[in-house]
Structure formats: C-alpha cells, structure tokens
Amino acid sequence: MSNLELLAPAGNFDSLRAAVVNGANAVYLGLDKYSARAKASNFGGDDFGCAVDFAHLYGVRVYVAVNTLIKDSEFVDALNAAKAAYGAGADAFIVQDLGFLIALRKALPLAEIHASTQMGVHNKEGAKVLEELGVKRVILSRETLIEDIRDIRNSTALEIEFFVHGALCVSFSGNCYFSGLISGNSGNRGQCLQFCRKRYTLDCGEIRKSGYMLSAKDLMLLEDLDKLIKAGVTSFKIEGRMRRPSYVGESVRVYRRALDCLCDNKPNNEIKCDIKRLKAMFNRGDYCKAHLFEHTSDVIYPYINGHMGLKIGSVEQVFGGRATLRTDKNLRSGDGMKFVRNKTEVGSASVATVGNVMGFSGNVKKGDDVFLTTDSALVNEIESRKKYLSVNATAVFKSGDTAKLKLSYNGEEICVESENKVEKAVSAPIDADRIEDIITAQSDDVFEVKLKKAYIDENIFIPISSVKTLKRKAMSELKARILNNFNRIEQKNNTMQDIVVNFPKFSYISEKKNQTFVQVESIRAVELLKNYDKFIDYYVLNPAEYDIKTANEFYNRFGERAVLNLPNVARGGDISVLRNIVGESGINNFIANNIYALEICKGKNVLCGFMMNLINDSFGGDKIASPERGNFDNKSVNYIFGKMPVMTFCHCEKKNITAQGCNNCKGYNAMLKDEQGNEFNIRRHKIRYCYFSLLNSVPIFLADKARENGVEKTFIDFVGFSENEIPKYAKKVFNGEKADFAFTRGYFNKKLK
C-alpha cells in the first residue's frame, strides 16, 4: 500500500503550507483563471512557481485544476496558462472540459491529465472512454457506488481518486445549472452562488416540510478508508480550497494518521478523538458517507445550513443576558459557540474570558445544546506546527584553506566552499562552538541542519558573515539539486501531437438543413402533439421508467424517428438495464448525457446531450450545445424550449424527510418552493435505481429568437408538463405566437461568468 496518496486542497499559500506540513503527498490548486474554485485566492504568476518549488522540496506533487468549462474565446489563453504551469513544474492537470482535454493532450503530449469529478465519471464504461482518450487518472463523482469503484479497478489501468472528506454538492457532479441559470454565475465555471444552501419548502402531497431542503451534509469517510483501498482507490482527496488553512492542516493530519495505521497494519486508537477535532474545525450536518454504500443515501440536513461544530454540553442557566454552560470543555478566550434547540440554531456566543459563563446573542434558554464552532486552542496548535527536512552537514574549517560545508538529504549531496580562506587568528579567534551554532541555527523554513561531522582547527579566524553566507549558499544549492529531480523532459511549446478521436456522429434521416427534436415522457404526450407532427423530425423519449417494453413500444410507433435519451447517471445494475435497451429495443438513435453512454452506444447513432456541458467548438462529435453556451451554436442542436433540469439528485427527497424505505413505493410527485414563491417540480425517473430532476420553475422560451437567428437544429422539451399544458405551449412554440406565459430566456445573451 505504499502507493497510496493523500491529496489536499490548497486555496492559498498558507493552506498549501498546512497541507505539506501535516503530511499530504500531493496538493491540488488553481491558477488565477479556469479553476472550479474561482473565489479562492489561487495562484498566478510567480506565486505559482514558488508554490510548486515549496511543495517539491518536500516531495509533494502539485496538480493544477484547469477544471472549468472553457469558452471558445478563452481557449488559447487557457492552453497558454497550462503550458506556463507545465513549464513551472506542474505534475498533472485536472480537466473538466472534454474538448479542452483533447486540445491539452495535443499541446502537451507528455503532460499527465486527470479527469475532474466535474466530468461525472461514476462507472467503468465512462472510465474506459477516458482511458482511451489518454487520461491517467479519473476523479470519480461523489455519487459513485463502491461496487462501481471495484469494476473500474478491474476493467481499466486508470488510477482512481476519490473524495473522502469535505463539502458535497447536492446535484450530480457537473450537472448543476441552478446558479448559472438564475444569475449567470455558473457552478461549472467556479462561480456558484450556492442557491442549494437557501431555505425551501418541500411538498410531496401528504408531506410538507420547510428548511434547508437542498443543503447536503459534509462527507467524512475516515472510518471507511480500508474499504476504499480494497475497492481500488489509490488517491484519497480532501475537499476545501475555500476553507481555512487550519481546517486543511487538521484534516490532512487526521487522514495521514489513519492511512499510516492501515499501511502499518496497526489500530488507529485516536480515531474517535480525531473525529471530534474534525467536527470542531468544520462540519455540516454531522457528516455522511455520500452514496458509497447506498444508492439513495440520506445526504440532506435541512435544519442548519452551515458549520455545526462539536457538541460539548448544554445551557445550565440563563440570567441577565449571560449563560452558564454545563460542559467538560475548558473554554478559552476566542472560542466560538452555537446554541441549538430542536435542531434549530437559536443563538451564538464568542468567549471573551476563560470560563463557562458568557454573554450571547439570540434566544438562548436553559437546556439548549451547546456546540463548539471555534476551538481557539486547537487552531493555535495547528497553526504552530512546522515540518523541517533533516539535513546532515559536514563542516571543514582548516587554516590556510577555504571553508567547506557539505550537506546531504535523501541521497542528494552538495559541497560548497567559502570565497575567502580560513586564517590564523591574530586577536579574535572564532571557536568551533560558534561555527557550529551558526551552521545548525534554524534559519530556514524548510531545512533543519544537523552537524554530523566537524573538522575545525583551533585559533582560526573567518568572518561570521562568511560562515552565514556559506550556509545560505549550501542550502540554496541543495534546494536546486532536489528541485532538479522534478525537471521534466524538455517539451517545446510548439510541440504538437496529432491525436485522432472518433467522437460519435448523428446521421440524420434526411439531408434537409432544419431538424427538430421534440422530447416527451410517453407516447401519450406525442398524441397531444399530433397537429404539429409535420414540424417534428425526431421524437425523443425521456421515460419515467427505463425498460425494454417501453422502448420497444416507442420504436414500433416511430421507427427511425425514435430517439432514446440516456440519463446522466447510471450506477450498479442500471447499466445492464440500459445495455439491454440499447442492444435489443430496435432504437438506433440515442442522446448521451454522460460519457458512459459513448461506450454502451458504440455502433449506434449518437447525439451528445446538453448535460455533457459542451460549450465550445473543439468537440469533434455531434451535440446538443450546453444551454450555458449562451448564444446559439449553428453547428449544433440548440435547446429552445423546456423546463430545463437544473439539478439531478441521487437521493430521494421524500425518503430523506420521512425515513421510509423504498419498498412498495410507486413514485410520487413533489414540488419545491423557494422563499420568493417560485415552484420547482421534482421529476422522478427509474432505471434500476431511482433518480430525481429538479426542473426549472418556468420554461426557457427561445423559439422566437431561434427563428430570428435562422437556427436550423432545435430541441424542444415537453418533459415536466401536464397534458393540459403541452398543447398550450406547443401552439406558441410551433406557430410562432408570442408567449403569454411566464418564461425565461435562460442563458441567451447572458454573460456567463
């Protein structure tokens, strides 16, 4: 297990230092642009080179996140940024954009590429596609089941990276359009405004509940590392480029200990204590295991949407605006508290003096639970940690000769000489103890020099400044020697590799320019559109349940006009269901909304769906352009009408709030209402497992704009509409009538941030 890697976030240099000092094997960080954590400090210019050198001195690898969607106007700049980072020592690139991945491989054929979790890879089929594209490592989506991790290990030679700690997105990886659709701040470009952390009311008919209904708990897999190792994970990733350096440091220390114990086959006797320390640093919702062991796992904590902290006691008494706490914790000045009653935050406090009596804000009462949200002593401890590289030194100070200092570290050895010679002392000799003190004094952030051998004549003189200069020179040369080991084979910027990628094509029935796709949930919906059949070239089935019978009925009705929309998530037994439909239903036309579908649809007619987030022209296959592209793409199919799914859930909202199992469930209709009164329908679809789409509150309407701009290929989406609504909206879309209903222009002409 010596190849296991602990991978830590570095949102700034202090976090980078905390990760390195506490035992990370690798760090991931962003440049000043094109990072999925655009609001972190990140690294640009000389800062990046300094960060890489610091990490490399400790033998820590540096992975650069270029993991946003790249606009056409940004392509050249993004490639140049990657080339500069590669030249400065980046060990690998984390990439989301499929077209950019191909371009990066061509521009830097020797560079190591990791497929970002934003690509949504969660099964062996998707992993195989990426392996064929030259990816070395896949960062699996947090929704991946452990059985699928095993399949990826057994089916590919890819390295497997998996998140083990930190924040969770409630929506399936790479498929959240909520922030971007509302504001233009795209989560797929690192600008998420986190609308999932706001309050909503969930209405499931007989069940109605208000709270933070989309706020996911934090992930914590500290107790499951052994299972992940056995499944095939080799890189264990901590999320947190937006979190404090102390959080990074403590998370790394805790997971380092756990991995070391597993590697040494020793029990981790500190794990319970370590979990408490992690909770005090940051935890949302008391942690969860995401979907690793359960396909519809409970990941939502609707009561508190921020840091909960560590429960340390209760309120014993309240008097005169002050509270006395019953706790075993020795509280100190600078500690922070949160008061909770019935899972609801009712107050807070900051400790001003040592003791368990304090003032507070809010409506605090006797018996309220007390949670520690800031442990000042723990933070101070973490921030005071240091890690030095132990360097062995040999000093030679012989009269009449130059002084020599030899340093050795981890098999590397250098020897430097002073510019002036050591002389016989005339009046003020420098003794051996003084020379040794200068050499071993802690004067560097990285090296700790230990003098192993010293050959120093008596009654000699050399300026103290010369001894210090000798030491600085020696350490500088040793650093250069260590960093030289990270020098890559020279690769000129104009070196290009011709990479042929056969992305799927969609062969149209006719050669006419205008092609219209209409998506429906059932044959019944098509019957409601019979007056507009002449406008429709293809009917796309997006069923409530994927099964061979439904697919066959659709094909028998529409023949070569039938298209099946393949879902963006397919885990475990889902794949066998979909493979059977693809191979046996007669349908030959498919829409692929995740990269796995390119594998199971080989030899078929495939159009890449908008959930593959293809916003630029670099992709070589046929596609429905991502609505996040903004303006129309005349080379692709364009989404011009529909209640676009803004999120995809792998958890069940009803199950989450009722704690009922899946037995005897026939599905349900649900609605989510925000604080402004906007209503978002939750649509369930089933393969083997159930999944849920959060549909936008109002439809995107661009039919008129498409006509004005001469758009030839269009996608019209009637999923999520009632039988009464479909004819009403179809009339406006197909007859060119003015919309007399609430709608949005979506991303059209919106500056996507």
Side-chain angles (χ1 to χ4, degrees), residues 523 526-527 533 539 553-562:
I523 291 177
V526 176
E527 293 171 352
D533 183 72
Y539 287 103
E553 289 176 353
F554 201 75
Y555 174 72
N556 291 336
R557 178 70 177 271
F558 301 107
E560 59 184 358
R561 298 174 71 193

Side-chain angles (χ1 to χ4, degrees), residues 51-52 108 194 243 364 426 516 564 592 701:
V52 172
L108 296 172
Q194 295 192 320
R243 293 189 177 170
V364 178
V426 175
T516 299
L564 182 65
F701 183 78

Side-chain angles (χ1 to χ4, degrees), residues 572-697:
D574 292 336
I575 286 289
S576 61
V577 174
L578 296 178
R579 277 193 181 278
N580 186 41
I581 294 173
V582 171
E584 304 298 331
S585 69
I587 295 177
N588 193 55
N589 306 316
F590 297 91
I591 293 177
N593 283 294
N594 184 280
I595 199 167
Y596 81 83
L598 305 186
E599 174 69 16
I600 71 171
C601 290
K602 284 184 175 178
K604 301 291 185 178
N605 213 22
V606 179
L607 186 67
C608 289
F610 65 82
M611 284 191 172
M612 285 187 68
N613 291 336
L614 302 169
I615 72 168
N616 55 57
D617 291 334
S618 63
F619 178 72
D622 291 327
K623 65 181 185 293
I624 303 172
S626 170
E628 287 197 305
R629 180 183 174 92
N631 294 329
F632 293 121
D633 178 5
N634 288 326
K635 299 178 183 177
S636 305
V637 179
N638 294 269
Y639 191 102
I640 65 166
F641 178 81
K643 288 187 177 180
M644 179 180 166
V646 295
M647 288 184 174
T648 301
F649 304 145
C650 293
H651 73 280
C652 173
E653 284 279 317
K654 181 178 178 180
K655 181 179 177 182
N656 188 78
I657 63 175
T658 64
Q660 296 175 354
C662 299
N663 293 337
N664 302 319
C665 177
K666 303 297 183 182
Y668 58 90
N669 295 317
M671 182 267 292
L672 206 65
K673 181 183 289 187
D674 66 16
E675 293 176 299
Q676 287 72 45
N678 299 306
E679 297 180 351
F680 302 82
N681 290 330
I682 297 176
R683 175 184 183 259
R684 168 187 176 266
H685 73 267
K686 184 177 181 181
I687 315 172
R688 178 184 175 187
Y689 302 133
C690 293
Y691 301 94
F692 304 85
S693 298
L694 184 69
L695 304 181
N696 197 31
S697 58

Side-chain angles (χ1 to χ4, degrees), residues 17-18 21-22 246 248-254 277 378-388:
R17 184 185 298 276
V21 164
N22 286 282
S246 55
V248 174
E250 187 63 8
S251 300
V252 170
R253 184 198 67 80
V254 167
R277 290 165 68 102
L378 177 57
V379 171
N380 291 337
E381 175 205 321
I382 297 167
E383 292 178 347
S384 67
R385 292 174 193 159
K386 297 184 183 299
K387 180 180 181 180
Y388 297 109

Side-chain angles (χ1 to χ4, degrees), residues 114-256:
H114 300 173
S116 170
T117 188
Q118 289 294 103
M119 276 195 175
V121 177
H122 58 287
N123 51 41
K124 68 181 180 183
E125 287 72 17
K128 283 180 178 179
V129 173
L130 288 174
E131 187 174 36
E132 292 172 1
L133 294 178
V135 168
K136 183 176 182 181
R137 175 184 295 188
V138 60
I139 307 169
L140 298 179
S141 74
R142 295 166 176 86
E143 296 80 9
T144 307
L145 300 174
I146 196 163
E147 63 193 82
D148 286 315
I149 298 177
R150 296 190 195 102
D151 284 345
I152 293 169
R153 175 198 61 193
N154 294 332
S155 304
T156 74
L158 290 168
E159 295 177 0
I160 299 175
E161 182 179 308
F162 199 71
F163 280 94
V164 294
H165 197 84
L168 279 178
C169 289
V170 65
S171 181
F172 176 70
S173 295
N175 283 151
C176 181
Y177 307 95
F178 210 163
S179 177
L181 190 61
I182 293 175
S183 66
N185 291 271
S186 170
N188 297 311
R189 285 175 54 82
Q191 299 286 352
C192 181
L193 295 183
Q194 295 192 320
F195 290 106
C196 55
R197 302 298 181 187
K198 295 183 178 295
R199 295 183 66 88
Y200 296 90
T201 298
L202 177 66
D203 189 341
C204 291
E206 75 279 12
I207 301 169
R208 185 180 176 90
K209 184 173 182 177
S210 296
Y212 301 103
M213 306 309 297
L214 298 179
S215 185
K217 304 174 184 179
D218 269 16
L219 173 68
M220 196 273 286
L221 295 176
L222 184 67
E223 299 170 294
D224 303 287
L225 298 180
D226 57 333
K227 301 179 185 68
L228 289 171
I229 293 169
K230 291 176 184 176
V233 175
T234 54
S235 180
F236 302 83
K237 188 171 192 173
I238 296 169
E239 185 276 339
R241 279 193 284 157
M242 294 292 293
R243 293 189 177 170
R244 296 173 297 174
S246 55
Y247 169 90
V248 174
E250 187 63 8
S251 300
V252 170
R253 184 198 67 80
V254 167
Y255 279 86
R256 176 79 279 152

Side-chain angles (χ1 to χ4, degrees), residues 225-353:
L225 298 180
D226 57 333
K227 301 179 185 68
L228 289 171
I229 293 169
K230 291 176 184 176
V233 175
T234 54
S235 180
F236 302 83
K237 188 171 192 173
I238 296 169
E239 185 276 339
R241 279 193 284 157
M242 294 292 293
R243 293 189 177 170
R244 296 173 297 174
S246 55
Y247 169 90
V248 174
E250 187 63 8
S251 300
V252 170
R253 184 198 67 80
V254 167
Y255 279 86
R256 176 79 279 152
R257 190 211 304 269
L259 285 173
D260 288 347
C261 286
L262 288 171
C263 290
D264 296 337
N265 198 26
K266 295 179 180 178
N268 184 357
N269 297 322
E270 301 297 324
I271 194 165
K272 290 184 178 180
C273 177
D274 283 343
I275 290 174
K276 289 181 179 180
R277 290 165 68 102
L278 288 174
K279 285 185 176 182
M281 294 310 301
F282 194 95
N283 92 91
R284 184 184 274 117
D286 205 24
Y287 295 134
C288 71
K289 299 181 186 296
H291 303 275
L292 188 63
F293 305 112
E294 170 58 46
H295 59 280
T296 54
S297 179
D298 174 7
V299 300
I300 299 298
Y301 192 78
Y303 308 103
I304 297 173
N305 69 340
H307 176 30
M308 286 184 59
L310 171 68
K311 185 177 179 180
I312 59 169
S314 61
V315 177
E316 186 173 57
Q317 187 178 4
V318 177
F319 59 95
R322 298 176 69 78
T324 302
L325 311 186
R326 183 185 291 113
T327 177
D328 294 331
K329 172 71 177 176
N330 293 320
L331 300 174
R332 304 168 186 266
S333 176
D335 288 349
M337 304 291 143
K338 181 172 288 188
F339 301 96
V340 175
R341 185 185 315 133
N342 297 326
K343 296 184 178 180
T344 301
E345 182 178 346
V346 293
S348 61
S350 181
V351 179
T353 58

